[in-house]
Amino acid sequence: MKKSILALALFAFCSANALEVQEFKGFAHPESVYVDESAVYVSNVGKELAPLNKDNDGFISKLDKDGKVVELEFIKNLNAPKGMSKIADVLYVVDIDILYGFDVKSKKEIFKLPIKNAVFLNDIAVLDNDTLLVSDTGTGYIHKVFLKDKKYENFIHLDSKYGGPNGLLVEKNTLFVAGYDPSDKTGGKIISIDLNTKKIKELSNKIEQFDGIVFDKDKNLLVSSWGKNLQGYIYILKDNKEIKLDLNPIKGPADMFFDGEYLWVPKMAENALIKVKL
């Protein structure tokens, strides 16, 4: 594909009160977005919407803050990369059953940690510069990873009634989790977990296929849901209510990122990415 096509931006205004949206096309089933001070990183599962296939066609794209593709296959030869987080110059990404770390300056792999019996590693949350939390939607486990020692332990195993842990978000002593049912039979829940006591609190009565979870600038939770028949949307949890953002249906709203002004949302089943001004 030509870079001009990859960097195509389309503006959509659904109504007088609609949010301002830019859309960028040309990805390969994008799953996760991470934004730092100078770049936007997008993980791509690959040519097929097959998040568990070890087919070596997954990659991470690098964009500028305007959404222009700098390098489509910035980091390549992955299988189905998903959630990402960055510490200093190291971009960490989960790929089915392995946690990788790549130096964004050299693009070299500098960290690799297989997670035994992992099925569907999905997202990463940073506890501190040495410790990550990693979700496995397929097994129900959230793992705690110690980077310096290249070791991990099982932090918590979620009951299936919450769905498999998908999106993760940490704020002080609380871990927020978006649940997803990989069997597609029911769904998951939005919960919080006390990092000290591991006490679980349900934050919504809804049971849906939840994916990404972030804060907005007012510390309201934003959670993406795949909905039904690939008619996905994004909720804002505010005043004990779930309010849908005024957006067109999204086919596969996956692991989002809010950079303080814009919400970046992968449209996983549409090979696109949207940038929403909040």
Side-chain angles (χ1 to χ4, degrees):
M1 296 182 184
K2 294 182 179 180
K3 188 172 289 188
S4 59
I5 297 175
L6 298 172
L8 178 64
L10 302 175
F11 289 83
F13 298 92
C14 303
S15 69
N17 296 318
L19 295 167
E20 179 184 320
V21 180
Q22 290 177 269
E23 182 173 4
F24 309 96
K25 295 181 178 292
F27 300 96
H29 298 103
E31 202 282 335
S32 180
V33 183
Y34 186 89
V35 183
D36 65 15
E37 61 278 358
S38 61
V40 179
Y41 302 94
V42 181
S43 65
N44 295 258
V45 166
K47 296 178 181 178
E48 298 181 1
L49 185 54
L52 300 182
N53 282 6
K54 294 186 176 182
D55 46 21
N56 201 44
D57 72 346
F59 57 92
I60 297 172
S61 302
K62 183 179 180 180
L63 288 62
D64 66 18
K65 299 293 281 289
D66 293 324
K68 180 181 179 181
V69 174
V70 176
E71 191 172 352
L72 182 63
E73 296 188 3
F74 176 67
I75 296 170
K76 53 187 178 180
N77 298 323
L78 297 171
N79 287 310
K82 299 176 186 71
M84 299 178 290
S85 283
K86 186 168 171 278
I87 300 175
D89 290 326
V90 182
L91 182 69
Y92 292 94
V93 57
V94 287
D95 189 2
I96 303 179
D97 55 2
I98 297 174
L99 170 65
Y100 288 102
F102 296 94
D103 186 310
V104 295
K105 292 183 177 180
S106 66
K107 298 191 288 186
K108 291 183 179 180
E109 176 191 309
I110 62 171
F111 183 91
K112 182 178 180 180
L113 180 64
I115 306 296
K116 187 177 180 180
N117 299 321
V119 173
F120 194 165
L121 298 182
N122 209 323
D123 200 14
I124 300 171
V126 176
L127 286 182
D128 56 48
N129 287 340
D130 181 50
T131 317
L132 304 179
L133 291 174
V134 174
S135 60
D136 187 340
T137 308
T139 64
Y141 280 103
I142 297 174
H143 304 290
K144 180 182 283 190
V145 178
F146 305 96
L147 298 173
K148 292 179 182 178
D149 296 330
K150 286 192 175 182
K151 294 181 179 180
Y152 68 92
E153 64 184 28
N154 298 329
F155 172 71
I156 193 170
H157 182 261
L158 294 184
D159 189 288
S160 60
K161 69 181 180 181
Y162 300 119
N166 191 336
L168 302 179
L169 176 65
V170 169
E171 172 71 5
K172 296 181 180 179
N173 292 319
T174 303
L175 172 65
F176 298 90
V177 182
Y180 187 103
D181 180 5
S183 72
D184 289 329
K185 293 180 179 179
T186 54
K189 294 186 177 183
I190 305 167
I191 63 173
S192 66
I193 303 173
D194 186 297
L195 291 173
N196 296 318
T197 66
K198 299 185 182 180
K199 182 179 180 180
I200 295 174
K201 179 181 178 181
E202 295 186 18
L203 304 180
S204 170
N205 292 324
K206 290 187 178 296
I207 301 175
E208 299 185 15
Q209 299 291 19
F210 296 112
D211 198 317
I213 183 166
V214 298
F215 283 123
D216 68 9
K217 59 186 176 182
D218 297 316
K219 290 296 182 180
N220 297 306
L221 281 175
L222 296 171
V223 185
S224 63
S225 170
W226 282 57
K228 295 181 179 180
N229 301 315
L230 287 179
Q231 298 294 295
Y233 35 79
I234 297 168
Y235 286 117
I236 178 170
L237 274 61
K238 189 174 182 179
D239 300 326
N240 296 317
K241 296 180 181 179
E242 305 91 357
I243 303 168
K244 289 182 182 178
L245 292 188
D246 188 10
L247 297 168
N248 287 329
I250 304 169
K251 292 183 179 180
D255 186 18
M256 311 178 292
F257 193 98
F258 180 61
D259 67 8
E261 183 177 5
Y262 295 98
L263 180 68
W264 300 77
V265 186
K267 300 173 76 172
M268 191 172 178
E270 298 182 65
N271 293 324
L273 171 71
I274 57 174
K275 177 184 178 183
V276 184
K277 188 172 184 179
L278 295 183

